[in-house]
Every structure is written in structure tokens, then in C-alpha cells.
Amino acid sequence: MYGSATYRVALSGSGMEYEPVIGLEVHCQLLTDSKIFCGCSTRFGAPANTNVCPVCLGMPGTLPVLNRRAVEYALRAALALGCRIEPVSIFARKNYFYPDLPKGYQISMYDRPLAVQGHLDVEAKGETKHVGITRVHMEEDAGKLLHEGFPDSDRASHVDYNRSGVPLIEIVSEPDMRSPEEAHAYYSALRTILVYIGVTDGNMEEGSLRCDANVSLRPRGQSGFGTKAELKNLNSFKFVQHALEYEIRRQTDLLVRGERVTQETRLYDPAEDRTSPMRSKEEAHDYRYFPEPDLLPLQVNEEWIGEVRRWLPELPAARRRRFVAEYGLPEQDAALLTSDRALADYYEAAARAARNAKAAANWVMTEILRKVKEDKIDVDRVPLPPVRLAALIRLVDDGAISGKIAKEVFETIYATGKDPADVVREQGLSQVTDEGAIREAIENVIAQNQSQYAQYKAGKTALLGFFVGQVLKATGGKASPSLVNRLLKERLDRP
Amino acid sequence: MAIAKQEVRHIAKLANLDFSEEEIGRFTQQFNSILEYVARLDALDTSAIEPTSHVDSGSHALRDDVLVPSISREEALANAPESERGHFKVPKVIG
């Protein structure tokens, strides 16, 4: 009922234009081996309730002990987002009853988060948007509730606590986004950077990254905020955008009719492409946070921050700018090549060894990415080492083989891992640069294509391409095209 | 800062506890007497004192990211009132 047409009519009819105000809360699973407060495995997909122990099952008398690597990953993420790390942060208990939470509280951080005041610059609609990061804090994940799939699922829910205690960071943005596109761009850039710095696998199907959105409307030009709705279950980039689009239409419609937006939590249903109020857990927001007495304040000194900072890789945006400046790549190519850290590493290794940055970019973007797609593998699983690809580029640049032959050699070295120079030698693929041999081929082609020759002589010079093709074919693609071109022209244009 | 029965009922609800009217009345009195006693601290000037969250001012003992064998599923489920196919079974909740 809230089609986009309705939205436009409503807007023009009201004489008032509304501006969406959007903030995102993103939960990100950290790539540690063990859980945040105990030594159980974080591995996804294990049989139900096999990665559990008294600590993550919330048994009485157990004590949490914080995982150092989880803190380091959280710090790395906070630094990558330009946050200020707090010297002291405090874990707090967030109290509520829900069966996915075995202790009756979640250990999180409340008024003393790990890091504050960061930002992320994102590209949306050709513009750079500065999105503020309010805070980054650490917390433990809850278990997984299954509402269907059991014979008695109509009467009971079933719980798997393997995920209980998996380390998370929550990244809260400022309400800085003004459109679903910007929210999408922010979430996507955030995922790229978190995967890039190696703190998460970013796998959204497995729930490694989850997103809630706060959205409200206000008359354009007004600086105060309207009443917001919190949207849950935005588990893909597409859902974030669609749910926000729907919710903006819904709220616009309410405001235009003179009604009010209710502050509430709404669940997005991707099948129906709509949001609806979650059955309200009465008083659910009365979490009665208090400092977790079982964990001392977390102290992070300058030395530790410095150590984490040293491990921080060059970030995608900086690397993209460097690729443009250092390798002379177009902005778009640099953006593609830096979208994945392994891809950027592969490209740089190939470009440096080949001493031809542009050719390396073309090979990586077309051939390597084609293979990655065809074989459904990650870039770090590409069997061809970048130096081998570089050697192939050098063979072309040195005139040893033609570009066409290079594609064939590529297939061979990709499949076998052989040195391209060996492949060229073994298969006799060296470029024919012997002018005598090419002239001979030209004479044969002319002899076999007398009518085309006559047409050419009569002025149809566009047939040059035809002759080039025939000569290249006659030499098995091994002749240098530029040489063929020159010799053919000389021969055909001879009076 | 006296509290009323209504607040005691609210706290009971948050704690998933069910009390009789007689108990609610008794707890309201007890809550108030505890709060009055603690309120005597208000007589002190604490403006120059940092809030204390923990009695020990030391810093965290951290553990390395090393796996420790988990317990068996049978042990994990041993105390569950009900279980099914390796899962804890709980009254139906809506996700």
C-alpha cells in the first residue's frame, strides 16, 4: 500500500518535504578462535550445544575471563574507524529474560564503552559522505533460538548455545545518513573495512555481521529529530535499503495524514517487503545496567594502542588513493582492486614484478577475477602466484609473445603453475617477428583471396582488417599484429 | 525517596517473580526501610570522590585466545528440564 507513487503524491499533496534521518547499529562477530569469556570454540556450524561449557551456559559460580585477542580485534576496528580509545572501559550487565540468554543478562558495555568519536567516509551517489561513529563497544553474543523444524515447534522453542559468548563489537553510528542509499553505502563500506583489517569474516548469511537501523523523519530544514522507529532483521545490504525505503514511505504517510509516528521496534519481513511492530516485550527496555562485578575495568594504555596500530594494514580508502597516484590507475579500477585486501595484495605483487601497473590491472581485473568467479574461490586461493602473472606480462611487453597468445599461455600456467617462458618454449608459441616468414604468409593470403585483393585495390581499403585477420590466422596467431599490419599495408598499397 | 507498591510489582515482573498482595506489601515496607537506611549516606559530601564501580582497582587478567575442550552435549543438557535432539527445550517464544 505504500508504493513509491503513493509516497510522491503524499509529498506533493502535503506541501511539506520530509527528510529521513538514519543511524545504524552494526554487530560484528570477531574472528577469534575461542569465545570472549571462555575457551569454547567459535566455529560456525558445529552440532548444537557442542561448543559450550559452564561459563557460556551461565552456570552458577562460573567466572568470565576476557579473551585478549578479542580486545585487540575490537581495538583494531576502533582505530580503523578513527575512534578515540578510552583508557578505561567497563563491562556492564544488561538484564533481561529471554531464553537465548542463559545467564539472564548479557555482558556488554554501557556508559563506559571501549572507544568513541570515530568516523567513516563513504561514497554515495558520487559524493563523499562523512558518517560519524558514536561508539564501539564489546559484548557477548546470545544463543540461537529455533522456532521451527521440531515436531513440537508449535508448542516449544529450541535453543542452541554454541553462539552464546562469541565475541562481538557493536558499532553505533551518528544519525548522519539522509537516505537509504547512504545507509547502504555506509554499511557496505563498514563491512569492507572490517573484513580488510581481518577482524571478521563479514559473512552475512552466517550472521557475522548484523544491522539494526534507527530512522525518523523531520521537515526538511529543521534541525531537531522526529520520533524514530528501530528496524530489526536487516541481514543483507539489500534488506537495509528496502526496509528503510518502506519505513520512510510509511512514516511519510502517517505525517502527511497528520498522525504521529510511534516510537517502537519494527521487524522487517523481506518476503512481504514491509516492516511491522515486533510484539512488544513489555518493559523490555528496562535493562537495569550495572557494572559487571565479575570483570575488572578494562585498561588500555598507550603502549597497547601503539602495538595494535602497528598491525593495522593500510586501509582501503588510503590504498585506493595511492593506487591512483602511484600506479596511474583510473579511480574506478583502483576502487575495484582495493575492494578486497587479498585482491589488492595480489595486484600490487603482480604490478611490481611486471613493472607495468596498467597491464597488471587489466589482467587481474579481467582474467584473475573471471577465474575467481568461475571457480567460486576467494582471491587468496588463486593458484597462480602473482610473479608468474608478472612474468607473462613481461613476455608480452618484451615482444616475445602476442597478446592473443598470452591469453592461451595464461590458461596453461593458471592450470599447471608452470613458468610462462617454459610454456612458450615447449609449445612453440614465440611471436613470429621474422619479416620474411610474414611476407611469405601475406603472399599466400593474397593468392587465395584474389577477389578481396581486387576490391582493395579498387579503393575498398577497409578490407585491410580482413587481410590482417587472415595473415594472423595463417601464422597461428603467433605473428606480431603490428608487424603484420605494417607489412600488409606496404604490400597492398604497392602500385 | 519512598517507593510504592507499583514499583515493587514492576521489579518483581522484571525478575520474573510472582508475589501475593501480602508479600508485595511487606516488600514495599522492607524496600523503604533499606532505602532510608542507605539514604543516611546522602549526608556526606561525596562531590570530590570518583564513582567506584569495582572494589579492586587492578586491571584485567586476560586469557590468550586458546581453545579449551568444551563439555559433552549430554553434560550440557543434563540439568535441562526438557531437551530435544541436542537442543534445550523452552516454552514457545516468538523470535
Side-chain angles (χ1 to χ4, degrees):
Chain A
M1 68 185 280
Y2 301 109
S4 56
T6 318
Y7 176 35
R8 275 197 297 274
V9 169
L11 274 179
S12 59
S14 72
M16 173 107 74
E17 208 186 331
Y18 290 102
E19 173 182 65
V21 175
I22 302 165
L24 298 189
E25 291 172 11
V26 173
H27 284 89
C28 165
Q29 263 181 25
L30 301 176
L31 262 183
T32 54
D33 292 330
S34 67
K35 292 184 178 181
I36 185 169
F37 298 126
C38 65
C40 290
S41 172
T42 57
R43 193 167 66 84
F44 180 84
N49 295 305
T50 54
N51 291 339
V52 291
C53 75
V55 173
C56 57
L57 286 174
M59 300 289 183
T62 57
L63 288 172
V65 187
L66 184 58
N67 181 335
R68 180 191 307 277
R69 188 179 288 169
V71 179
E72 281 167 356
Y73 282 178
L75 289 173
R76 197 191 287 181
L79 289 175
L81 296 170
C83 289
R84 192 184 82 217
I85 309 292
E86 295 286 15
V88 177
S89 47
I90 293 177
F91 283 99
R93 289 188 183 180
K94 179 180 183 178
N95 299 281
Y96 63 96
F97 284 118
Y98 210 59
D100 62 1
L101 203 60
K103 296 190 293 294
Y105 58 85
Q106 178 193 30
I107 302 178
S108 179
M109 285 174 168
Y110 182 52
D111 54 353
R112 302 285 298 271
L114 183 78
V116 295
Q117 290 176 7
H119 64 87
L120 182 61
D121 288 335
V122 304
E123 308 287 327
K125 291 183 188 161
E127 282 176 33
T128 301
K129 175 85 188 181
H130 186 88
V131 178
I133 308 280
T134 315
R135 56 187 276 156
V136 174
H137 73 247
M138 301 182 71
E139 62 187 29
E140 58 179 343
D141 208 344
K144 191 176 174 170
L145 271 168
L146 298 149
H147 302 291
E148 45 202 48
F150 290 80
D152 53 353
S153 281
D154 55 326
R155 289 175 286 122
S157 295
H158 297 80
V159 202
D160 172 7
Y161 288 114
N162 282 346
R163 209 179 59 186
S164 168
V166 167
L168 300 178
I169 47 173
E170 180 174 339
I171 300 158
V172 182
S173 86
E174 291 287 307
D176 283 348
M177 288 153 276
R178 296 288 173 268
S179 68
E181 292 78 16
E182 282 180 7
H184 178 285
Y186 164 79
Y187 191 24
S188 161
L190 188 59
R191 180 184 179 277
T192 301
I193 205 165
L194 293 171
V195 171
Y196 218 86
I197 60 175
V199 301
T200 185
D201 61 19
N203 188 325
M204 293 162 88
E205 289 81 35
E206 293 178 5
S208 299
L209 218 57
R210 286 165 252 161
C211 178
D212 300 335
N214 290 310
V215 55
S216 62
L217 295 187
R218 64 182 175 194
R220 199 172 289 280
Q222 179 186 299
S223 61
F225 295 129
T227 306
K228 69 178 181 186
E230 186 180 357
L231 306 182
K232 298 243 177 215
N233 196 27
L234 312 181
N235 294 331
S236 77
F237 293 128
K238 211 173 73 183
F239 292 178
V240 169
Q241 188 155 345
H242 287 182
L244 284 168
E245 281 166 0
Y246 173 84
E247 184 61 19
I248 289 165
R249 290 197 298 272
R250 188 187 71 86
Q251 291 187 17
T252 303
D253 202 39
L254 283 174
L255 295 175
V256 165
R257 287 202 312 255
E259 293 174 30
R260 283 189 175 175
V261 175
T262 315
Q263 177 152 356
E264 63 188 354
T265 303
R266 300 178 68 87
L267 199 63
Y268 177 64
D269 179 352
E272 297 276 324
D273 187 27
R274 65 194 305 269
T275 68
S276 48
M278 275 178 80
R279 203 169 75 167
S280 84
K281 284 181 267 172
E282 203 184 343
E283 293 161 304
H285 284 290
D286 196 346
Y287 292 131
R288 295 149 295 143
Y289 283 97
F290 65 88
E292 165 60 91
D294 292 341
L295 289 164
L296 289 170
L298 174 60
Q299 301 190 15
V300 182
N301 59 23
E302 283 302 321
E303 194 190 336
W304 198 3
I305 295 172
E307 201 178 303
V308 173
R309 202 184 288 281
R310 272 195 297 283
W311 284 100
L312 204 60
E314 184 183 20
L315 299 176
R319 202 169 194 185
R320 191 181 68 230
R321 287 193 292 274
R322 185 169 61 78
F323 276 17
V324 171
E326 191 175 327
Y327 300 124
L329 299 182
E331 180 69 34
Q332 213 176 339
D333 294 358
L336 173 64
L337 290 168
T338 54
S339 62
D340 177 292
R341 187 172 164 189
L343 182 66
D345 289 347
Y346 191 98
Y347 164 70
E348 274 211 278
R352 285 190 176 151
R355 278 162 276 158
N356 184 341
K358 293 208 166 153
N362 288 334
W363 278 96
V364 171
M365 289 188 299
T366 54
E367 301 306 317
I368 297 294
L369 285 184
R370 176 175 62 83
K371 286 288 187 189
V372 163
K373 206 171 158 190
E374 279 174 7
D375 300 344
K376 296 191 176 66
I377 54 169
D378 289 330
V379 176
D380 54 9
R381 292 271 169 275
V382 166
L384 179 67
V387 288
R388 285 272 196 265
L389 177 62
L392 181 63
I393 294 169
R394 305 271 315 150
L395 287 176
V396 178
D397 286 352
D398 293 346
I401 54 171
S402 66
K404 183 170 176 292
I405 292 294
K407 302 262 169 174
E408 286 175 35
V409 176
F410 173 82
E411 294 297 335
T412 310
I413 60 172
Y414 192 94
T416 62
K418 283 185 176 173
D419 186 320
D422 291 343
V423 174
V424 168
R425 200 174 318 111
E426 286 165 18
Q427 302 187 3
L429 297 171
S430 284
Q431 185 149 266
V432 177
T433 49
D434 172 359
E435 296 197 8
I438 294 174
R439 285 212 175 85
E440 198 184 313
I442 289 172
E443 292 309 324
N444 288 336
V445 166
I446 290 173
Q448 285 155 22
N449 297 281
Q450 279 298 318
S451 73
Q452 284 87 346
Y453 180 68
Q455 286 173 44
Y456 184 94
K457 294 307 273 184
K460 202 172 170 191
T461 53
L463 279 168
L464 177 65
F466 164 79
F467 282 105
V468 171
Q470 291 298 311
V471 173
L472 287 177
K473 201 169 145 192
T475 57
K478 288 183 283 180
S480 154
S482 61
L483 192 57
V484 169
N485 215 47
R486 181 167 63 77
L487 295 176
L488 252 176
K489 263 182 91 86
E490 275 175 22
R491 169 66 181 81
L492 292 172
D493 294 343
R494 205 161 62 201
Chain B
M1 53 181 277
I3 64 164
K5 281 185 178 178
Q6 194 46 47
E7 286 164 291
V8 175
R9 282 194 198 97
H10 176 65
I11 292 162
K13 190 167 181 178
L14 289 174
N16 252 3
L17 296 171
D18 210 5
F19 294 117
S20 67
E21 262 314 292
E22 186 272 321
E23 284 170 314
I24 295 284
R26 182 149 45 95
F27 292 154
T28 307
Q29 271 181 8
Q30 289 177 345
F31 271 41
N32 276 316
S33 94
I34 292 167
L35 288 171
E36 274 163 34
Y37 178 70
V38 175
R40 288 161 67 180
L41 289 173
D42 291 348
L44 299 171
D45 177 9
T46 56
S47 57
I49 297 172
E50 280 281 302
T52 307
S53 63
H54 296 74
V55 284
D56 186 335
S57 62
S59 86
H60 255 289
L62 298 166
R63 41 172 279 270
D64 290 332
D65 183 26
V66 174
L67 293 183
V68 174
S70 295
I71 60 174
S72 71
R73 180 195 266 178
E74 290 66 37
E75 282 178 281
L77 294 169
N79 292 321
E82 279 190 278
S83 65
E84 172 128 12
R85 281 194 260 155
H87 290 74
F88 290 83
K89 190 155 130 183
V90 298
K92 182 82 179 165
V93 289
I94 303 299

